[in-house]
Amino acid sequence: MEEIQSQSDNYKSSSSSASSPASRVPSSNFFYLRKPGSLQQPISFEDSPEWEDTDIDVRVEEGGDSINAANMPVSPSLSKLNSGSLPSPPQPEGGAVVRKTAGASVAWKELAVTIKGKRKYSDKVVKSSNGYALPGTMTVIMGPAKSGKSTLLRAIAGRLHPSAKMYGEVFINGAKTSLLYGSYGFVDRETTLIGSLTVREYLYYSALLQLPGFFCQKKSVVEEAIQAMYLGDYANKLIGGHCYMKGIARGERRRVSIARELVMRPRILFIDEPLYHLDSVSALLMMVTLRNLQAQDALSFHHLPEQYRSFWPLDRICLLSNGNTLFFGETLACLQHFSNAGFPCPIMQSPSDHFLRAINTDFDRIIAMCKNWQDDNGDFSSVNMDTAVAIRTLEATYKSSADAAAVETMIVRLTEREGPLLKSKGKTSNATRIAVLTWRSLLIMSREWKYYWLRLILYMLLTLCIGTVFSGLGHSLSSVVKRVAAIFVFVSFTSLLSIAGVPSLLKEIKIYASEESNQHSGALVFLFGQLLSSIPFLFLIAISSSLVFYFLIGLRDEFSLLMYFVLNFFMCLFVNEGLLLAVTSLWQNIFWNVLTLVTIHVVMMLAAGYLRIRNELPKPVWKYPLSYIAFHTYSIQGILENEYLGMNFAVGQVRAISGFQAIHSAYDISQRSNSKWENLLVLLLMAFGYRILVFVSLHLRVRKNVSLNRTFQCRKSTT
């Protein structure tokens, strides 16, 4: 205790001068519940926050779908704080004030999370955390980096990574149950938005994917969400976010991601780092907006802006450090808790700066590096408090305090009787979702040039280059080998050029992952939507490129042969698009995607039967199975059979040879008349085969998350 006391004295004497820039990087999380009719309340920066710092006794009415919340005496620490020099919020006069609040209570008991390592489960990321969130309140989870804030937030929401294990119990309205679709919303730290859509369009398509019912009802819900997040001035502006597409600012983009979840009108809203990458003005507007929503949220912000230090919008705070709970209770009571532990907050210093200064171990390294420096207030090395000692002191003080006992008592009261279960609001049918995704993808692809318009230009330039190089070949026997070379180069190089579409496909996968995590989409819906929306653009590329190439190299001037050539090249692009989608669904890094695809295409080109005909290829590996896996083989075979079967070449004045005999030494084709259609059928089967691989890959990812959540619920029920 002498060591702790000495460290505390040093901290008291120097904390007021230790507000370095690094100490102004707070981290936190929230919980907050919804009241009816509060979405359209006007915002005012002049209104001073006045609400009751009271605990709420939640009682469930029989046969009702609401919760009676009665005010109770404040926590012990807050009572002590109110008796001191700091001003306290106004208390209600008279007895308990009973108000009805539509929402849900959340409580977690002895919650612990471990992350799976390479060999065994590592130390607990979250260690025995207790807490609760009540209707109409906001609760912040705060702490330095790597303290377990986001992990705790995701554990409460049931959205942990598959490599994590959760222990303990989570109660929703007093019952150990999972959160159903539509009853809650979760906003990730970085939500993938669609920059080529306006704010209103993005939210409208999100509503079509989420909500069942009529279109007119969904429009009204979207307008309510826009008004609730104060996005009226930006509703018709493109979201943007790209170097070539200027859009709305980061603060508005963050509010759009929250508005997407408000479309479902959730009872519980979880938000991971709502102030991520926001400046002070945007952060203040965000906090005032969230306060005015009066919905039950769980928010986690790891980096508050330097200028934003007010705690007025928050009701309760859960302070974490290295997974340990150092405090849970009313925000103002946390100041008294630090004072009781020997670390009072200096006058004119931000409480958030003070809390993080005391529990952030990074300051020990800063002090060690700067121990010989001097500043305007004297020797910097005088701030020599051991942060580890402060953390142990705060943890021990909290465990033995009346605040910890009050939390346990409140959890017992919230869980002693089960309230009404949160109901699912229903989902849109898969057919509707496919139609919505198809139309939305068509709109996106038509607006963003990097999807298919850039590829169309590149294909046209490449086709012109190949066509001019191989132009003027004539129709003699000597032109056969050169024309085979031209077709091989055309099919192989255009397939290789399609790798330019990897960035757009990666973005589609990210959008799908973001929507699927909130159950707005599914693997089958995504695949059908992407398939139907890509067909018109691929067909446009196939027609334009085929016409240029077909006539430049002088293929036979027959309409039926031209149509087969276009159809064959379209199927080649269709298969290649499925291959790109399969690879991008496995790798989320653009470098590895490009490297993998280039390698696959080069190997397929080697095994396609032009550099060495298929019958002469080494049977292990190259003939079996590579030459049969390469889609180039079937595309080139079909085009050559379409061109040369039924054609004759004169040899001298008397003799003539068939097209099959003329090309047999250059490429291996079949003599059967329907062989070219068989090649087309193989290409079609390969196109669907690649997309089945994509479906399996995406579906396995979803099943892993679902089975993980079921495991958590089983563990909760057996605890």
Side-chain angles (χ1 to χ4, degrees), residues 11 15 23 144 319 321 326 338 343 349 351-361 363-364 385-392 394:
Y11 178 75
S15 58
S23 67
L319 192 62
S321 181
L326 305 185
F338 271 72
F343 309 108
Q349 184 173 357
S352 60
D353 288 348
H354 176 70
F355 297 159
L356 285 224
R357 168 64 184 87
I359 65 175
N360 196 341
T361 56
F363 283 102
D364 292 340
M385 183 196 68
D386 186 358
T387 306
V389 175
I391 293 173
R392 291 197 300 269
L394 290 167

Side-chain angles (χ1 to χ4, degrees), residues 354-394:
H354 176 70
F355 297 159
L356 285 224
R357 168 64 184 87
I359 65 175
N360 196 341
T361 56
D362 292 337
F363 283 102
D364 292 340
R365 292 192 290 269
I366 294 174
I367 294 170
M369 291 186 296
C370 305
K371 61 181 179 180
N372 295 325
W373 292 7
Q374 289 186 348
D375 56 14
D376 296 337
N377 297 321
D379 190 359
F380 189 83
S381 62
S382 62
V383 186
N384 55 3
M385 183 196 68
D386 186 358
T387 306
V389 175
I391 293 173
R392 291 197 300 269
T393 306
L394 290 167

Side-chain angles (χ1 to χ4, degrees), residues 207-208 210-218 425 427-429 432:
L208 292 177
Q210 299 178 56
L211 296 173
F214 299 103
F215 290 160
C216 58
Q217 297 175 344
K218 298 177 183 181
K425 299 181 180 180
K427 295 183 180 181
T428 308
S429 65
T432 303

Side-chain angles (χ1 to χ4, degrees), residues 135 169 330 332 563 669:
E169 299 171 310
E330 287 88 347
L332 294 180
M563 288 298 99
I669 63 173

Side-chain angles (χ1 to χ4, degrees), residues 352-648:
S352 60
D353 288 348
H354 176 70
F355 297 159
L356 285 224
R357 168 64 184 87
I359 65 175
N360 196 341
T361 56
D362 292 337
F363 283 102
D364 292 340
R365 292 192 290 269
I366 294 174
I367 294 170
M369 291 186 296
C370 305
K371 61 181 179 180
N372 295 325
W373 292 7
Q374 289 186 348
D375 56 14
D376 296 337
N377 297 321
D379 190 359
F380 189 83
S381 62
S382 62
V383 186
N384 55 3
M385 183 196 68
D386 186 358
T387 306
V389 175
I391 293 173
R392 291 197 300 269
T393 306
L394 290 167
E395 184 181 6
T397 304
Y398 173 69
K399 287 182 177 180
S400 60
S401 67
D403 291 288
V407 171
E408 294 180 359
T409 302
M410 192 62 189
I411 292 176
V412 171
R413 302 184 69 173
L414 289 172
T415 58
E416 63 185 359
R417 183 178 179 183
E418 294 186 4
L421 298 177
L422 299 185
K423 300 178 181 179
S424 175
K425 299 181 180 180
K427 295 183 180 181
T428 308
S429 65
N430 286 336
T432 303
R433 288 185 171 184
I434 291 173
V436 171
L437 283 181
T438 302
W439 183 254
R440 188 182 72 177
S441 298
L442 284 171
L443 183 61
I444 296 170
M445 293 172 184
S446 63
R447 290 181 179 179
E448 292 198 21
W449 56 269
K450 72 176 183 179
Y451 267 82
Y452 288 104
W453 301 121
L454 176 62
R455 291 168 63 181
L456 175 61
I457 296 173
L458 293 177
Y459 273 98
M460 291 297 296
L461 291 176
L462 178 62
T463 304
L464 282 172
C465 293
I466 298 174
T468 52
V469 167
F470 290 95
S471 61
L473 295 179
H475 295 279
S476 64
L477 184 60
S478 60
S479 66
V480 173
V481 176
K482 297 177 182 178
R483 192 166 278 112
V484 171
I487 293 173
F488 170 78
V489 171
F490 174 72
V491 172
S492 300
F493 282 26
T494 51
S495 300
L496 191 62
L497 192 61
S498 64
I499 298 178
V502 167
S504 60
L505 290 179
L506 269 178
K507 186 175 180 181
E508 287 190 27
I509 294 291
K510 289 181 180 179
I511 294 173
Y512 159 75
S514 176
E515 293 179 339
E516 185 275 328
S517 63
N518 287 346
Q519 303 181 41
H520 300 168
S521 181
L524 188 63
V525 172
F526 166 74
L527 281 177
F528 271 101
Q530 198 278 337
L531 171 68
L532 296 176
S533 60
S534 63
I535 286 178
F537 294 95
L538 292 177
F539 200 72
L540 177 62
I541 294 175
I543 290 179
S544 57
S545 301
S546 298
L547 289 176
V548 174
F549 177 81
Y550 195 89
F551 291 106
L552 279 179
I553 67 168
L555 296 178
R556 283 199 286 174
D557 191 9
E558 294 183 20
F559 182 76
S560 60
L561 301 181
L562 173 61
M563 288 298 99
Y564 178 86
F565 186 94
V566 172
L567 188 58
N568 182 289
F569 186 55
F570 167 76
M571 292 305 304
C572 180
L573 295 177
F574 194 44
V575 174
N576 200 25
E577 193 80 2
L579 175 62
L580 264 64
L581 197 58
V583 174
T584 52
S585 66
L586 296 176
W587 301 98
Q588 301 302 316
N589 183 280
I590 188 170
F591 171 78
W592 290 111
N593 278 317
V594 172
L595 182 63
T596 304
L597 287 168
V598 168
T599 303
I600 292 174
H601 276 85
V602 169
V603 171
M604 287 185 175
M605 289 164 61
L606 293 174
Y610 170 73
L611 301 176
R612 193 174 182 184
I613 62 175
R614 179 188 287 185
N615 291 332
E616 297 179 2
L617 285 173
K619 291 186 178 180
V621 180
W622 290 105
K623 185 176 181 180
Y624 304 107
L626 288 181
S627 66
Y628 290 91
I629 293 177
F631 63 90
H632 305 66
T633 306
Y634 304 99
S635 179
I636 297 172
Q637 276 184 358
I639 293 174
L640 292 177
E641 290 166 355
N642 181 63
E643 176 68 18
Y644 288 106
L645 290 184
M647 187 177 182
N648 295 315

Side-chain angles (χ1 to χ4, degrees), residues 219-238:
K219 285 185 177 180
S220 63
V221 170
V222 169
E223 295 302 323
E224 288 180 8
I226 290 175
Q227 294 178 14
M229 295 308 296
Y230 300 94
L231 292 167
D233 295 337
Y234 310 95
N236 296 319
K237 292 184 179 180
L238 292 177

